[in-house]
């Protein structure tokens, strides 16, 4: 039943058993003491109940679905806020090239709520990502307010908000804190007022201090939506934002999206829920990357010759893509395209915070995240003293009357100490980038800088590694009576630990998931042990390779120089005439060791930065080092 076509303010239906009343543009239903009762979506009506688009109204044998058309906000200009002309997105595979989007042309105007439909793999998400600047069109044009624009401009245009299917926000934080850091990245003035506004707008103000991970799925989606609404964007792209929600919550979210469109935003929503599509002004239907329908929900029903909107998924199989396109052209005419304005593009990117500002923002946020889960942080710190106590129990007092025996025990303890330092720092950092893969990719839209992101983690993990190293060395020195200059040994191990942090960050940046990252770490540590020189004497090319890529090699070299000469030159008795290598060896100056480790960690960080940019930023190599 289409109420938008009814001019009267009061209507009696169902043989005068139900009364419909329009007040200030809203329709209300009232039961007129009928025997069977009146129901809206299976809930009995008592008094007056407001009707919404897509509601099912029932009274006895009478049942109908309510249709209320929502006209988009009228703009003074006939220029669409967004237009795609003959968009093509091609992927290259083993079986040749395939078009995910094929010759798609569509315009969107201010205040429109547009539903994007199609079966899985039809190109819905690809279309939204192209509009958001995440994907590059192989062919075609995208226009913003009539001007040609590039993917880079779309990506940096904060007037376009993109909400993916998964919640891409730090769930360890409260909504208030999470949005605070995002608003700082976006450089939004009076951010706290803006945060309160958007949280209230999505109905989450009362939960502003509740950790996001304690909220329901629908509430998390609302918080993620609030983050996108910061800065009052013009276009809102929703990529299956209601997936995984129960029907009631999905209905509330769709009504929220419609109300945002009524406020003047252009909303494009990918969804598989057909029950609420009458909320939309317009529907797009994609089939294997081809746009085969573009029109109102009522036209959608007539075009596919269906009653229930969801039946189109089955009905699409009855014709080929070409047949559907011919049918659309026959009934609606040619697809309209908007020509670019013959003027200079005046669109400007939103201001970005500086690299130093971002480091401060991201470091503060990272600290908040870590301290919110203080138990896990405490376990990371405590692994150092636990390992140190095991070393102490295993070796005990390593002093001996014979220099050869003492040197042998010192070498074993130092070798274990170096590996323990690399293990503690590596395990602390190995997951820290890969676990935030989706968030990192998404926050590119907020102007996130990869260098700032990497350094914010590096600085925090460096502090953590230094604390672990101090605990490790202090307990080992006390329990084993390890000789040597403590300050110099601490400096060497701190440099080793920081290099271990950079190893962990590199492995994290090149891994596709946390589990795979953890499988890399033992292999790397075993390689450190083998090529450190602590198990076998390294010579020739193997030694050169160890000097170039094995931090444990330089750590052991530096630690050797901290012991008394009588220990470093001690040798086991050998056969007459054969040269016997010293048990420990003289080593090199701790300054050379720290310089070598510093160069190594800088190189590792640069590799991690390169990996982040190539994997997540998807930009050309010429921009890698910016």
């Amino acid at each position: 039943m289409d109420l938008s076509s009814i001019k009267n303010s009061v209507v009696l239906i169902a043989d005068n058993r139900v009364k419909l009343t329009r007040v200030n543009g809203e329709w209300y239903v009232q039961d007129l003491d009928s025997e069977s009762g009146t129901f809206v979506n299976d809930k009995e009506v008592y008094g007056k109940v407001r009707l919404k688009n897509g509601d099912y109204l029932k009274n006895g044998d009478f049942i109908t679905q309510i249709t209320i058309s929502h006209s988009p906000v009228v703009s003074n200009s006939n220029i669409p806020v967004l237009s795609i002309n003959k968009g093509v997105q091609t992927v290259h595979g083993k079986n040749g090239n395939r078009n995910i989007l094929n010759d798609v042309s569509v315009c969107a105007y201010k205040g429109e709520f547009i539903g994007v439909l199609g079966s899985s793999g039809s190109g819905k998400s690809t279309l939204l990502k192209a509009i958001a600047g995440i994907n590059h069109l192989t062919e075609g044009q995208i226009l913003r307010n009539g001007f040609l624009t590039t993917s880079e401009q779309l990506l940096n245009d904060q007037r376009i908000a993109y909400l993916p299917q998964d919640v891409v926000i730090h769930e360890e934080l409260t909504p208030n804190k999470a949005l605070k850091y995002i608003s700082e990245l976006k450089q939004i003035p009076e951010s706290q007022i803006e945060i309160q506004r958007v949280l209230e707008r999505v109905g989450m103000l009362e939960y502003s201090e509740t950790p996001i991970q304690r909220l329901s799925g629908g509430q998390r989606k609302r918080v993620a939506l609030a983050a996108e609404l910061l800065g009052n964007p013009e276009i809102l792209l929703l990529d299956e934002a209601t997936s995984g929600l129960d029907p009631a919550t999905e209905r509330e979210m769709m009504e929220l999206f419609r109300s945002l469109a009524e406020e003047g935003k252009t909303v494009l929503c990918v969804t598989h829920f057909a029950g609420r599509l009458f909320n939309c002004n317009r529907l797009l239907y994609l089939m294997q990357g081809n746009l085969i329908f573009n029109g109102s929900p009522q036209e959608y029903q007539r075009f596919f010759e269906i009653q229930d909107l969801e039946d189109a998924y089955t009905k699409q199989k009855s014709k080929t893509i070409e047949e559907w396109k011919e049918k659309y052209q026959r009934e609606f005419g040619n697809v309209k395209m908007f020509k670019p304005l013959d003027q200079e593009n005046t669109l400007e990117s939103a201001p970005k915070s500086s690299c130093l500002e971002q480091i401060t923002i991201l470091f503060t946020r990272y600290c908040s995240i870590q301290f919110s889960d203080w138990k896990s942080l405490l376990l990371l710190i405590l692994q150092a003293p636990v390992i140190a106590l095991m070393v102490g129990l295993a070796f005990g007092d390593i002093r001996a009357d014979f220099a050869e025996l003492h040197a042998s025990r010192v070498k074993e303890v130092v070798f274990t100490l170096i590996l323990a330092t690399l293990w503690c720092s590596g395990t602390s950092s190995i997951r820290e980038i890969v676990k935030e893969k989706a968030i990192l990719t998404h926050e590119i839209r907020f102007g996130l800088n990869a260098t700032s992101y990497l350094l914010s983690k590096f600085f925090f993990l460096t502090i953590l590694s230094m604390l672990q190293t101090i605990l490790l060395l202090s307990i080992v020195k006390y329990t084993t009576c390890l000789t040597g200059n403590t300050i110099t040994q601490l400096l060497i191990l701190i440099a080793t630990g920081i290099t271990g942090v950079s190893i962990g960050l590199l492995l994290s940046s090149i891994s596709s998931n946390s589990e795979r990252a953890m499988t890399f770490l033992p292999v790397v540590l075993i390689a450190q042990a083998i090529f450190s020189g602590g198990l076998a004497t390294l010579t020739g090319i193997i030694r050169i390779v160890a000097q170039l890529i094995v931090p444990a090699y330089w750590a052991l070299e530096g630690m050797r120089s901290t012991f008394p000469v009588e220990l470093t030159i001690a040798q086991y008795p050998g056969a007459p005439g054969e040269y016997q290598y010293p048990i420990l060896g003289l080593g090199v100056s701790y300054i050379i060791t720290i310089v070598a480790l510093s160069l190594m960690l800088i190189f590792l960080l640069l590799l991690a930065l390169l990996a982040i940019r190539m994997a997540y930023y998807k930009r050309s190599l010429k921009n890698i080092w910016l």
Side-chain angles (χ1 to χ4, degrees), residues 49 75 98 185 230-231 243 269 278 374 446 449 465 505 511 573:
V49 174
S75 173
R98 181 172 63 90
L185 284 175
L230 288 169
S243 64
C269 178
F278 280 104
W374 63 269
F446 306 155
N449 180 281
S465 176
L505 290 174
S511 301

Side-chain angles (χ1 to χ4, degrees), residues 4-47:
S4 59
S5 61
I6 299 176
K7 296 182 179 180
N8 298 330
S9 297
V10 178
V11 181
L12 297 179
I13 60 175
D15 295 332
N16 299 330
R17 293 172 294 182
V18 180
K19 179 181 179 182
L20 302 180
T21 308
R22 182 170 56 198
V23 180
N24 295 328
E26 299 284 355
W27 283 95
Y28 294 84
V29 60
Q30 183 177 1
D31 183 73
L32 300 180
D33 296 325
S34 63
E35 293 182 4
S36 59
T38 301
F39 296 82
V40 175
N41 300 325
D42 296 327
K43 290 185 179 179
E44 190 166 4
V45 171
Y46 295 99

Side-chain angles (χ1 to χ4, degrees), residues 247-260:
T249 305
E250 182 271 333
R251 174 183 177 181
E252 292 174 358
M253 293 294 287
M254 289 293 284
E255 290 172 356
L256 174 59
F257 300 154
R258 185 198 70 195
S259 66
L260 290 169

Side-chain angles (χ1 to χ4, degrees), residues 357-368:
E357 287 175 328
Q358 285 199 9
I359 290 174
T360 304
I361 295 167
L362 296 172
F363 178 81
T364 307
R365 180 172 72 177
Y366 191 41
C367 290
S368 298

Side-chain angles (χ1 to χ4, degrees), residues 398-411 414 477 480-485 489 559-572 581-587:
I398 62 173
R399 291 174 295 183
D401 294 333
F402 300 100
E404 293 82 5
L405 180 58
H406 191 183
S408 177
R409 291 175 176 175
V410 165
K411 185 176 182 180
V414 169
K477 291 275 285 188
T480 65
C481 299
L482 180 66
T483 188
N485 188 304
Q489 291 173 349
M559 291 293 284
R560 284 169 174 156
S561 67
T562 66
F563 301 116
V565 175
E566 60 269 20
L567 291 182
T568 58
I569 64 174
Q571 297 173 312
Y572 286 122
Y581 286 99
I583 298 170
L584 269 174
L586 293 174

Side-chain angles (χ1 to χ4, degrees), residues 454-525:
L454 181 63
L455 290 180
S456 67
K457 292 191 176 295
F458 175 73
F459 291 148
F460 179 88
L461 294 168
T462 291
I463 296 171
L464 178 60
S465 176
M466 291 172 66
L467 178 58
Q468 291 173 320
T469 303
I470 291 171
L471 291 172
L472 194 61
L473 181 62
S474 300
I475 295 173
V476 168
K477 291 275 285 188
Y478 178 78
T479 56
T480 65
C481 299
L482 180 66
T483 188
N485 188 304
T486 302
I487 299 299
T488 303
Q489 291 173 349
L490 182 60
L491 290 174
I492 293 170
L493 289 177
I494 285 176
T496 304
I498 297 173
T499 307
V501 167
S502 65
I503 292 174
L505 290 174
L506 174 59
L507 295 176
S508 188
S509 65
I510 64 175
S511 301
S512 57
N513 54 62
S514 297
E515 291 73 20
R516 184 166 296 179
M518 283 304 299
T519 61
F520 288 150
L521 187 59
V523 176
V524 171
L525 289 178

